[in-house]
Each structure stands twice: as structure tokens, then as C-alpha cells.
């Protein structure tokens, strides 16, 4: 027998990829926040749609600078990721206080996050849905990966402080590239 699920819980079923960090820079002040509401929209150039709340400092900086870095963390820095998602760059210097290392990106002023196994430099592609849905469509312009990271254990948000971590991979023949 199925039970009714509050609509507010739907996101917990459909949470997309791993929790990521969004790094921005405003007048040389770097900031970083956690994000899990995003989706791939195109293969090449890669387009990434992201919902970033209008209350977040990142919203203001991304709207203004039109660029950011999306960094993919792993289980080893999970507590730092949650802290980046529970504090605001308006109040603290998150790179310094939480302990992330900023590295220079090549195509954007926002920093790479050295502790993350993948970093994607992004520029604003379309801001037409920002006013209505806080939905930013970003274009990846450069991507970096740590070649030493084999089977990185990513974090997947289930809500209410619960996370799933990636584990076993399976290979299934598929037409998808
Ligand atoms: C696991 C996790 C996932 C989150 N996902 C999002 C998200 O997708 N969009 C969003 O606007 N905020 C999200 N947040 C909340 C922001 O990270 C949080 O509001 C943060 O304090 C904003 O920082 P800022 O003010 O420095 O930009 C998430 C927080 C956590 C802990």
C-alpha cells in the first residue's frame, strides 16, 4: 500500500548529481557555497542549470560577475561542504574559516577549490529565468580533474542532514554516450 508523500519531499527522491560547491569571487573576495539543485542541459558545450536562492550571497555575486566555478567534493571533506552550505559569505570568509584552498582558474576570476577532485569553470549563458525561478544557465568553459582520483566517493543529498555516498559502479550496455 502506497502512502501519500508531501510535495515538499519530492526533491528527496529526485535529487540529481553529487552535492557540489559553487565558488565565486567579488573584488578578490572568494566565496563558496554548497549546491545540490542543478541539472545538466547539454553535452557540448556543457550547459548546467542551477537553482541558487535569492537569499544567498552567491546569488548576488553570480548575477553581478556572471561567472563561477562548480567544484565536486568527496566524502573526505563532507563536513566542510555542509559548513559551506550552512554559513554565508556575507558573514565569514569561508575559504579561511572552513579551510578550503583557492587555486587560480584559467578562464574565470572565481577560484578553483583545490580539495575537490573536479573543478568546472563556468560563465553565465542565460539569465532569463533568474528573475522567475532563481535559475542560472551556466556554460562550462574549462574543466579540471585530479587524475589520481579513482572512483571518487561523491556525496548525494537526501535532505535533513542525510547524505548518500557513491559506491559500486556497474557497466550496462547503453546507447547514451
Ligand atoms: C547539502 C546542501 C545543498 C544545498 N543546495 C543548495 C542549492 O542547490 N541551492 C541553494 O540556493 N542553496 C543550497 N544550499 C544552501 C546554501 O549552500 C546556503 O544557503 C549557503 O549558506 C549560501 O551561502 P552564501 O550566502 O555564502 O552564498 C545547500 C546547502 C547544503 C548543506
Amino acid at each position: 500500500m502506497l502512502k501519500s508523500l508531501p510535495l515538499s519531499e519530492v526533491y528527496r527522491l529526485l535529487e540529481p548529481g553529487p552535492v557540489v560547491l559553487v565558488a565565486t569571487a567579488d573584488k578578490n573576495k572568494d566565496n563558496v557555497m554548497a549546491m545540490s539543485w542543478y541539472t545538466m542541459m547539454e553535452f557540448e558545450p556543457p550547459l548546467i542549470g542551477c537553482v541558487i536562492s535569492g537569499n544567498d550571497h552567491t546569488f548576488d555575486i553570480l548575477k553581478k560577475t556572471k561567472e563561477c566555478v562548480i567544484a565536486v567534493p568527496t566524502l573526505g571533506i563532507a563536513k566542510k561542504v555542509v559548513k559551506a552550505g550552512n554559513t554565508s559569505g556575507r558573514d565569514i570568509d569561508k575559504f579561511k574559516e572552513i579551510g578550503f584552498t583557492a587555486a587560480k582558474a584559467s578562464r574565470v576570476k572565481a577560484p578553483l577549490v583545490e580539495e575537490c577532485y573536479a573543478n568546472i569553470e563556468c560563465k553565465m549563458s542565460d539569465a532569463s529565468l533568474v528573475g522567475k525561478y532563481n535559475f542560472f544557465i551556466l556554460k562550462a568553459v574549462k574543466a579540471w580533474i585530479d587524475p589520481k582520483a579513482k572512483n571518487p566517493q561523491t556525496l548525494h543529498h537526501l535532505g535533513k542532514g542525510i547524505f548518500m555516498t557513491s559506491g559500486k559502479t556497474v557497466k550496462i550496455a547503453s546507447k547514451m554516450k
Side-chain angles (χ1 to χ4, degrees), residues 13-174:
L13 303 174
L14 300 183
E15 197 78 274
V19 177
V20 295
L21 293 170
V22 182
T24 47
D26 182 32
K27 296 187 196 117
N28 297 326
K29 190 193 168 208
D30 297 335
N31 187 42
V32 67
M33 73 161 236
M35 176 175 77
S36 52
W37 283 19
Y38 65 90
T39 182
M40 283 306 302
M41 298 176 69
E42 185 50 274
F43 286 110
E44 208 164 348
L47 293 180
I48 304 154
C50 311
V51 177
I52 297 179
S53 160
N55 297 323
D56 292 337
H57 185 51
T58 301
F59 177 96
D60 295 337
I61 306 309
L62 181 55
K63 211 170 151 193
K64 187 167 102 181
T65 62
K66 299 184 170 51
E67 51 180 48
C68 67
V69 167
I70 293 179
V72 191
T74 44
L75 182 59
I77 59 164
K79 285 192 177 157
K80 291 185 180 194
V81 172
V82 174
K83 255 189 208 161
N86 286 187
T87 51
S88 177
R90 283 193 195 96
D91 308 320
I92 63 164
D93 178 340
K94 291 197 225 178
F95 270 87
K96 207 162 134 198
E97 292 197 24
I98 298 176
F100 293 112
T101 313
K104 203 168 160 33
S106 71
R107 301 279 312 275
V108 299
K109 289 205 177 76
L112 308 178
V113 183
E114 221 168 77
E115 289 77 10
C116 289
Y117 87 95
N119 278 268
I120 306 159
E121 300 181 28
C122 298
K123 289 189 187 268
M124 184 87 79
S125 175
D126 186 346
S128 62
L129 294 174
V130 171
K132 194 165 180 190
Y133 298 109
N134 297 338
F135 192 71
F136 294 82
I137 301 178
L138 306 172
K139 180 166 76 175
V141 292
K142 176 81 195 163
W144 305 93
I145 194 90
D146 177 357
K148 294 190 298 298
K150 305 279 179 234
N151 297 324
Q153 249 194 309
T154 50
L155 290 169
H156 301 259
H157 190 219
L158 301 181
K160 304 184 181 181
I162 314 285
F163 294 84
M164 197 166 65
T165 60
S166 62
K168 215 172 112 186
T169 56
V170 288
K171 191 162 170 58
I172 298 166
S174 164

